[in-house]
PDB file of all heavy atoms in Angstrom:
ATOM      1  N   VAL C  17     -17.745  27.070 -15.824  1.00 97.00           N
ATOM      2  CA  VAL C  17     -17.885  28.185 -16.758  1.00 97.00           C
ATOM      3  C   VAL C  17     -19.343  28.338 -17.173  1.00 97.00           C
ATOM      4  O   VAL C  17     -20.111  27.380 -17.133  1.00 97.00           O
ATOM      5  CB  VAL C  17     -16.986  28.011 -18.010  1.00 97.00           C
ATOM      6  CG1 VAL C  17     -15.537  27.781 -17.614  1.00 97.00           C
ATOM      7  CG2 VAL C  17     -17.458  26.901 -18.910  1.00 97.00           C
ATOM      8  N   THR C  18     -19.710  29.551 -17.577  1.00 97.00           N
ATOM      9  CA  THR C  18     -21.059  29.784 -18.097  1.00 97.00           C
ATOM     10  C   THR C  18     -21.051  29.986 -19.601  1.00 97.00           C
ATOM     11  O   THR C  18     -22.036  29.713 -20.264  1.00 97.00           O
ATOM     12  CB  THR C  18     -21.712  31.011 -17.425  1.00 97.00           C
ATOM     13  OG1 THR C  18     -20.837  32.128 -17.551  1.00 97.00           O
ATOM     14  CG2 THR C  18     -21.989  30.741 -15.958  1.00 97.00           C
ATOM     15  N   ASP C  19     -19.938  30.460 -20.161  1.00 98.00           N
ATOM     16  CA  ASP C  19     -19.801  30.680 -21.598  1.00 98.00           C
ATOM     17  C   ASP C  19     -18.530  29.954 -22.039  1.00 98.00           C
ATOM     18  O   ASP C  19     -17.424  30.473 -21.880  1.00 98.00           O
ATOM     19  CB  ASP C  19     -19.721  32.177 -21.900  1.00 98.00           C
ATOM     20  CG  ASP C  19     -19.657  32.502 -23.376  1.00 98.00           C
ATOM     21  OD1 ASP C  19     -19.050  31.719 -24.144  1.00 98.00           O
ATOM     22  OD2 ASP C  19     -20.195  33.550 -23.761  1.00 98.00           O
ATOM     23  N   MET C  20     -18.685  28.748 -22.581  1.00 98.00           N
ATOM     24  CA  MET C  20     -17.531  27.915 -22.908  1.00 98.00           C
ATOM     25  C   MET C  20     -16.631  28.553 -23.962  1.00 98.00           C
ATOM     26  O   MET C  20     -15.405  28.514 -23.833  1.00 98.00           O
ATOM     27  CB  MET C  20     -17.982  26.523 -23.360  1.00 98.00           C
ATOM     28  CG  MET C  20     -16.815  25.566 -23.602  1.00 98.00           C
ATOM     29  SD  MET C  20     -15.777  25.245 -22.148  1.00 98.00           S
ATOM     30  CE  MET C  20     -16.777  24.030 -21.298  1.00 98.00           C
ATOM     31  N   ASP C  21     -17.205  29.146 -24.995  1.00 98.00           N
ATOM     32  CA  ASP C  21     -16.375  29.775 -26.029  1.00 98.00           C
ATOM     33  C   ASP C  21     -15.509  30.881 -25.432  1.00 98.00           C
ATOM     34  O   ASP C  21     -14.307  30.956 -25.705  1.00 98.00           O
ATOM     35  CB  ASP C  21     -17.245  30.343 -27.164  1.00 98.00           C
ATOM     36  CG  ASP C  21     -17.926  29.259 -27.975  1.00 98.00           C
ATOM     37  OD1 ASP C  21     -17.365  28.152 -28.108  1.00 98.00           O
ATOM     38  OD2 ASP C  21     -19.033  29.516 -28.485  1.00 98.00           O
ATOM     39  N   ARG C  22     -16.104  31.736 -24.623  1.00 98.00           N
ATOM     40  CA  ARG C  22     -15.365  32.828 -23.972  1.00 98.00           C
ATOM     41  C   ARG C  22     -14.289  32.268 -23.042  1.00 98.00           C
ATOM     42  O   ARG C  22     -13.149  32.739 -23.030  1.00 98.00           O
ATOM     43  CB  ARG C  22     -16.342  33.718 -23.197  1.00 98.00           C
ATOM     44  CG  ARG C  22     -15.680  34.850 -22.426  1.00 98.00           C
ATOM     45  CD  ARG C  22     -16.687  35.690 -21.681  1.00 98.00           C
ATOM     46  NE  ARG C  22     -17.390  34.898 -20.675  1.00 98.00           N
ATOM     47  CZ  ARG C  22     -18.604  35.186 -20.205  1.00 98.00           C
ATOM     48  NH1 ARG C  22     -19.255  36.247 -20.631  1.00 98.00           N
ATOM     49  NH2 ARG C  22     -19.167  34.406 -19.301  1.00 98.00           N
ATOM     50  N   ALA C  23     -14.640  31.259 -22.262  1.00 98.00           N
ATOM     51  CA  ALA C  23     -13.689  30.676 -21.311  1.00 98.00           C
ATOM     52  C   ALA C  23     -12.514  30.017 -22.041  1.00 98.00           C
ATOM     53  O   ALA C  23     -11.361  30.166 -21.619  1.00 98.00           O
ATOM     54  CB  ALA C  23     -14.397  29.664 -20.416  1.00 98.00           C
ATOM     55  N   ILE C  24     -12.783  29.319 -23.123  1.00 98.00           N
ATOM     56  CA  ILE C  24     -11.693  28.708 -23.898  1.00 98.00           C
ATOM     57  C   ILE C  24     -10.762  29.789 -24.425  1.00 98.00           C
ATOM     58  O   ILE C  24      -9.539  29.664 -24.325  1.00 98.00           O
ATOM     59  CB  ILE C  24     -12.254  27.834 -25.042  1.00 98.00           C
ATOM     60  CG1 ILE C  24     -12.878  26.554 -24.470  1.00 98.00           C
ATOM     61  CG2 ILE C  24     -11.156  27.492 -26.045  1.00 98.00           C
ATOM     62  CD1 ILE C  24     -13.627  25.717 -25.497  1.00 98.00           C
ATOM     63  N   ARG C  25     -11.329  30.853 -24.994  1.00 98.00           N
ATOM     64  CA  ARG C  25     -10.485  31.944 -25.498  1.00 98.00           C
ATOM     65  C   ARG C  25      -9.603  32.500 -24.376  1.00 98.00           C
ATOM     66  O   ARG C  25      -8.409  32.739 -24.561  1.00 98.00           O
ATOM     67  CB  ARG C  25     -11.340  33.068 -26.092  1.00 98.00           C
ATOM     68  CG  ARG C  25     -11.858  32.782 -27.479  1.00 98.00           C
ATOM     69  CD  ARG C  25     -12.476  34.011 -28.132  1.00 98.00           C
ATOM     70  NE  ARG C  25     -13.524  34.656 -27.339  1.00 98.00           N
ATOM     71  CZ  ARG C  25     -14.808  34.300 -27.353  1.00 98.00           C
ATOM     72  NH1 ARG C  25     -15.217  33.304 -28.117  1.00 98.00           N
ATOM     73  NH2 ARG C  25     -15.686  34.940 -26.603  1.00 98.00           N
ATOM     74  N   PHE C  26     -10.196  32.709 -23.196  1.00 98.00           N
ATOM     75  CA  PHE C  26      -9.454  33.255 -22.060  1.00 98.00           C
ATOM     76  C   PHE C  26      -8.317  32.321 -21.647  1.00 98.00           C
ATOM     77  O   PHE C  26      -7.155  32.735 -21.570  1.00 98.00           O
ATOM     78  CB  PHE C  26     -10.404  33.487 -20.881  1.00 98.00           C
ATOM     79  CG  PHE C  26      -9.715  34.042 -19.661  1.00 98.00           C
ATOM     80  CD1 PHE C  26      -9.523  35.409 -19.525  1.00 98.00           C
ATOM     81  CD2 PHE C  26      -9.267  33.208 -18.648  1.00 98.00           C
ATOM     82  CE1 PHE C  26      -8.884  35.935 -18.403  1.00 98.00           C
ATOM     83  CE2 PHE C  26      -8.630  33.718 -17.530  1.00 98.00           C
ATOM     84  CZ  PHE C  26      -8.442  35.086 -17.408  1.00 98.00           C
ATOM     85  N   TYR C  27      -8.613  31.076 -21.361  1.00 98.00           N
ATOM     86  CA  TYR C  27      -7.603  30.151 -20.848  1.00 98.00           C
ATOM     87  C   TYR C  27      -6.529  29.831 -21.878  1.00 98.00           C
ATOM     88  O   TYR C  27      -5.348  29.695 -21.527  1.00 98.00           O
ATOM     89  CB  TYR C  27      -8.258  28.882 -20.289  1.00 98.00           C
ATOM     90  CG  TYR C  27      -8.788  29.100 -18.897  1.00 98.00           C
ATOM     91  CD1 TYR C  27     -10.072  29.600 -18.682  1.00 98.00           C
ATOM     92  CD2 TYR C  27      -7.997  28.860 -17.788  1.00 98.00           C
ATOM     93  CE1 TYR C  27     -10.550  29.836 -17.403  1.00 98.00           C
ATOM     94  CE2 TYR C  27      -8.458  29.081 -16.498  1.00 98.00           C
ATOM     95  CZ  TYR C  27      -9.734  29.574 -16.312  1.00 98.00           C
ATOM     96  OH  TYR C  27     -10.189  29.809 -15.036  1.00 98.00           O
ATOM     97  N   GLU C  28      -6.906  29.719 -23.144  1.00 98.00           N
ATOM     98  CA  GLU C  28      -5.891  29.484 -24.168  1.00 98.00           C
ATOM     99  C   GLU C  28      -4.957  30.683 -24.290  1.00 98.00           C
ATOM    100  O   GLU C  28      -3.741  30.527 -24.440  1.00 98.00           O
ATOM    101  CB  GLU C  28      -6.545  29.156 -25.515  1.00 98.00           C
ATOM    102  CG  GLU C  28      -7.134  27.758 -25.557  1.00 98.00           C
ATOM    103  CD  GLU C  28      -7.713  27.354 -26.890  1.00 98.00           C
ATOM    104  OE1 GLU C  28      -7.990  28.240 -27.742  1.00 98.00           O
ATOM    105  OE2 GLU C  28      -7.898  26.137 -27.097  1.00 98.00           O
ATOM    106  N   ALA C  29      -5.499  31.885 -24.213  1.00 97.00           N
ATOM    107  CA  ALA C  29      -4.676  33.096 -24.304  1.00 97.00           C
ATOM    108  C   ALA C  29      -3.791  33.265 -23.073  1.00 97.00           C
ATOM    109  O   ALA C  29      -2.606  33.573 -23.191  1.00 97.00           O
ATOM    110  CB  ALA C  29      -5.563  34.333 -24.481  1.00 97.00           C
ATOM    111  N   VAL C  30      -4.344  33.058 -21.905  1.00 97.00           N
ATOM    112  CA  VAL C  30      -3.607  33.301 -20.664  1.00 97.00           C
ATOM    113  C   VAL C  30      -2.496  32.274 -20.446  1.00 97.00           C
ATOM    114  O   VAL C  30      -1.371  32.622 -20.080  1.00 97.00           O
ATOM    115  CB  VAL C  30      -4.569  33.319 -19.457  1.00 97.00           C
ATOM    116  CG1 VAL C  30      -3.818  33.336 -18.136  1.00 97.00           C
ATOM    117  CG2 VAL C  30      -5.506  34.514 -19.556  1.00 97.00           C
ATOM    118  N   PHE C  31      -2.785  31.006 -20.669  1.00 96.00           N
ATOM    119  CA  PHE C  31      -1.810  29.959 -20.371  1.00 96.00           C
ATOM    120  C   PHE C  31      -1.081  29.436 -21.607  1.00 96.00           C
ATOM    121  O   PHE C  31      -0.269  28.517 -21.500  1.00 96.00           O
ATOM    122  CB  PHE C  31      -2.484  28.822 -19.603  1.00 96.00           C
ATOM    123  CG  PHE C  31      -2.941  29.258 -18.237  1.00 96.00           C
ATOM    124  CD1 PHE C  31      -4.289  29.448 -17.976  1.00 96.00           C
ATOM    125  CD2 PHE C  31      -2.033  29.518 -17.228  1.00 96.00           C
ATOM    126  CE1 PHE C  31      -4.722  29.878 -16.722  1.00 96.00           C
ATOM    127  CE2 PHE C  31      -2.447  29.949 -15.970  1.00 96.00           C
ATOM    128  CZ  PHE C  31      -3.794  30.120 -15.724  1.00 96.00           C
ATOM    129  N   ALA C  32      -1.368  30.013 -22.782  1.00 95.00           N
ATOM    130  CA  ALA C  32      -0.692  29.637 -24.029  1.00 95.00           C
ATOM    131  C   ALA C  32      -0.754  28.127 -24.274  1.00 95.00           C
ATOM    132  O   ALA C  32       0.259  27.482 -24.538  1.00 95.00           O
ATOM    133  CB  ALA C  32       0.744  30.156 -24.038  1.00 95.00           C
ATOM    134  N   VAL C  33      -1.962  27.581 -24.150  1.00 95.00           N
ATOM    135  CA  VAL C  33      -2.197  26.154 -24.384  1.00 95.00           C
ATOM    136  C   VAL C  33      -3.386  25.999 -25.324  1.00 95.00           C
ATOM    137  O   VAL C  33      -4.155  26.936 -25.523  1.00 95.00           O
ATOM    138  CB  VAL C  33      -2.489  25.383 -23.074  1.00 95.00           C
ATOM    139  CG1 VAL C  33      -1.298  25.408 -22.137  1.00 95.00           C
ATOM    140  CG2 VAL C  33      -3.741  25.902 -22.382  1.00 95.00           C
ATOM    141  N   LYS C  34      -3.542  24.810 -25.871  1.00 97.00           N
ATOM    142  CA  LYS C  34      -4.706  24.477 -26.693  1.00 97.00           C
ATOM    143  C   LYS C  34      -5.568  23.510 -25.891  1.00 97.00           C
ATOM    144  O   LYS C  34      -5.091  22.472 -25.431  1.00 97.00           O
ATOM    145  CB  LYS C  34      -4.246  23.834 -28.006  1.00 97.00           C
ATOM    146  CG  LYS C  34      -5.366  23.418 -28.908  1.00 97.00           C
ATOM    147  CD  LYS C  34      -6.035  24.623 -29.528  1.00 97.00           C
ATOM    148  CE  LYS C  34      -7.089  24.172 -30.536  1.00 97.00           C
ATOM    149  NZ  LYS C  34      -8.221  25.040 -30.594  1.00 97.00           N
ATOM    150  N   LEU C  35      -6.834  23.877 -25.668  1.00 98.00           N
ATOM    151  CA  LEU C  35      -7.753  23.017 -24.930  1.00 98.00           C
ATOM    152  C   LEU C  35      -8.479  22.086 -25.892  1.00 98.00           C
ATOM    153  O   LEU C  35      -8.734  22.435 -27.044  1.00 98.00           O
ATOM    154  CB  LEU C  35      -8.759  23.856 -24.147  1.00 98.00           C
ATOM    155  CG  LEU C  35      -8.155  24.814 -23.116  1.00 98.00           C
ATOM    156  CD1 LEU C  35      -9.247  25.602 -22.408  1.00 98.00           C
ATOM    157  CD2 LEU C  35      -7.312  24.076 -22.107  1.00 98.00           C
ATOM    158  N   ASP C  36      -8.821  20.907 -25.408  1.00 97.00           N
ATOM    159  CA  ASP C  36      -9.511  19.887 -26.195  1.00 97.00           C
ATOM    160  C   ASP C  36     -10.982  19.853 -25.768  1.00 97.00           C
ATOM    161  O   ASP C  36     -11.312  19.325 -24.706  1.00 97.00           O
ATOM    162  CB  ASP C  36      -8.846  18.529 -25.960  1.00 97.00           C
ATOM    163  CG  ASP C  36      -9.557  17.390 -26.663  1.00 97.00           C
ATOM    164  OD1 ASP C  36     -10.299  17.622 -27.634  1.00 97.00           O
ATOM    165  OD2 ASP C  36      -9.347  16.225 -26.234  1.00 97.00           O
ATOM    166  N   ARG C  37     -11.869  20.416 -26.605  1.00 98.00           N
ATOM    167  CA  ARG C  37     -13.287  20.516 -26.258  1.00 98.00           C
ATOM    168  C   ARG C  37     -14.033  19.256 -26.684  1.00 98.00           C
ATOM    169  O   ARG C  37     -13.886  18.784 -27.805  1.00 98.00           O
ATOM    170  CB  ARG C  37     -13.898  21.743 -26.943  1.00 98.00           C
ATOM    171  CG  ARG C  37     -15.323  22.023 -26.491  1.00 98.00           C
ATOM    172  CD  ARG C  37     -15.808  23.320 -27.075  1.00 98.00           C
ATOM    173  NE  ARG C  37     -17.116  23.674 -26.582  1.00 98.00           N
ATOM    174  CZ  ARG C  37     -17.703  24.829 -26.850  1.00 98.00           C
ATOM    175  NH1 ARG C  37     -17.086  25.745 -27.610  1.00 98.00           N
ATOM    176  NH2 ARG C  37     -18.889  25.098 -26.364  1.00 98.00           N
ATOM    177  N   ARG C  38     -14.820  18.725 -25.747  1.00 97.00           N
ATOM    178  CA  ARG C  38     -15.643  17.545 -26.045  1.00 97.00           C
ATOM    179  C   ARG C  38     -16.755  17.415 -25.015  1.00 97.00           C
ATOM    180  O   ARG C  38     -16.701  18.028 -23.955  1.00 97.00           O
ATOM    181  CB  ARG C  38     -14.794  16.293 -26.124  1.00 97.00           C
ATOM    182  CG  ARG C  38     -14.007  15.981 -24.880  1.00 97.00           C
ATOM    183  CD  ARG C  38     -13.134  14.738 -25.091  1.00 97.00           C
ATOM    184  NE  ARG C  38     -12.422  14.410 -23.893  1.00 97.00           N
ATOM    185  CZ  ARG C  38     -11.116  14.411 -23.764  1.00 97.00           C
ATOM    186  NH1 ARG C  38     -10.365  14.725 -24.769  1.00 97.00           N
ATOM    187  NH2 ARG C  38     -10.553  14.085 -22.615  1.00 97.00           N
ATOM    188  N   GLU C  39     -17.739  16.605 -25.330  1.00 96.00           N
ATOM    189  CA  GLU C  39     -18.827  16.345 -24.388  1.00 96.00           C
ATOM    190  C   GLU C  39     -18.453  15.136 -23.546  1.00 96.00           C
ATOM    191  O   GLU C  39     -18.004  14.116 -24.070  1.00 96.00           O
ATOM    192  CB  GLU C  39     -20.133  16.071 -25.135  1.00 96.00           C
ATOM    193  CG  GLU C  39     -21.304  15.925 -24.194  1.00 96.00           C
ATOM    194  CD  GLU C  39     -22.628  15.763 -24.924  1.00 96.00           C
ATOM    195  OE1 GLU C  39     -22.914  16.584 -25.802  1.00 96.00           O
ATOM    196  OE2 GLU C  39     -23.345  14.803 -24.591  1.00 96.00           O
ATOM    197  N   THR C  40     -18.621  15.270 -22.237  1.00 94.00           N
ATOM    198  CA  THR C  40     -18.327  14.186 -21.307  1.00 94.00           C
ATOM    199  C   THR C  40     -19.494  14.045 -20.348  1.00 94.00           C
ATOM    200  O   THR C  40     -19.849  15.012 -19.661  1.00 94.00           O
ATOM    201  CB  THR C  40     -17.023  14.480 -20.531  1.00 94.00           C
ATOM    202  OG1 THR C  40     -15.963  14.683 -21.467  1.00 94.00           O
ATOM    203  CG2 THR C  40     -16.674  13.343 -19.598  1.00 94.00           C
ATOM    204  N   ASP C  41     -20.108  12.887 -20.317  1.00 94.00           N
ATOM    205  CA  ASP C  41     -21.263  12.625 -19.441  1.00 94.00           C
ATOM    206  C   ASP C  41     -22.349  13.683 -19.602  1.00 94.00           C
ATOM    207  O   ASP C  41     -22.989  14.089 -18.627  1.00 94.00           O
ATOM    208  CB  ASP C  41     -20.835  12.539 -17.972  1.00 94.00           C
ATOM    209  CG  ASP C  41     -19.978  11.315 -17.679  1.00 94.00           C
ATOM    210  OD1 ASP C  41     -20.147  10.291 -18.380  1.00 94.00           O
ATOM    211  OD2 ASP C  41     -19.151  11.380 -16.762  1.00 94.00           O
ATOM    212  N   GLY C  42     -22.533  14.173 -20.827  1.00 94.00           N
ATOM    213  CA  GLY C  42     -23.576  15.150 -21.107  1.00 94.00           C
ATOM    214  C   GLY C  42     -23.193  16.588 -20.818  1.00 94.00           C
ATOM    215  O   GLY C  42     -24.023  17.482 -20.955  1.00 94.00           O
TER     216      GLY C  42
END
Side-chain angles (χ1 to χ4, degrees):
V17 306
T18 53
D19 183 326
M20 185 61 80
D21 292 329
R22 177 180 63 205
I24 288 172
R25 281 191 306 274
F26 180 86
Y27 279 87
E28 286 184 342
V30 170
F31 294 107
V33 296
K34 178 72 175 146
L35 300 180
D36 176 21
R37 188 174 185 173
R38 58 183 182 243
E39 185 175 309
T40 303
D41 292 331

